[in-house]
Amino acid sequence: MFPLSFNTNCLRNLPLDRAIEETSKAGYEGIDLFCRSEHLHPFDITQEQLDELNDLFARLPIKPVSLATGWPFLLSDDAFEPSLISPDEQARKERI
């Protein structure tokens, strides 16, 4: 059977560590870490925070399975921009 995972976007009202713990308690084997400022903004996370996440995952049976990057304002104040169809080549590369 394919293991189920849960996306932390649904628990963004909780701190990330608590969201992971609660998802693990619910019996999920994997978790999608949503990239947004409430939890895990990829441009702002520190090495110390990454180390804490690694320690947490070492203690729990749940494992990270993906980084969910669908947050509309991850790269700019314009929703989903730059996009893969942007007329600006450099902007398309930034999205990738």
Side-chain angles (χ1 to χ4, degrees):
M1 180 179 208
F2 189 81
L4 294 177
S5 65
F6 193 82
N7 188 302
T8 61
N9 185 43
C10 297
L11 298 172
R12 65 180 176 263
N13 60 318
L14 298 177
L16 181 57
D17 59 342
R18 176 106 184 277
I20 294 167
E21 290 167 348
E22 294 300 320
T23 302
S24 183
K25 284 182 196 174
Y28 286 89
E29 296 176 48
I31 193 158
D32 307 308
L33 301 172
F34 196 63
C35 294
R36 67 181 288 145
S37 48
E38 289 91 343
H39 280 173
L40 182 93
H41 196 293
F43 303 130
D44 296 333
I45 194 160
T46 65
Q47 186 61 52
E48 181 180 349
Q49 291 168 314
L50 289 173
D51 292 343
E52 290 171 2
L53 278 175
N54 281 330
D55 291 345
L56 180 63
F57 283 119
R59 292 192 325 259
L60 297 174
I62 195 168
K63 300 301 172 215
V65 296
S66 74
L67 292 176
T69 60
W71 184 32
F73 303 102
L74 180 64
L75 298 176
S76 77
D77 292 333
D78 297 324
F80 299 107
E81 290 298 331
S83 70
L84 293 176
I85 60 170
S86 172
D88 182 323
E89 181 179 0
Q90 187 58 39
R92 292 192 306 272
K93 288 180 179 180
E94 184 179 353
R95 173 53 68 177
I96 292 170

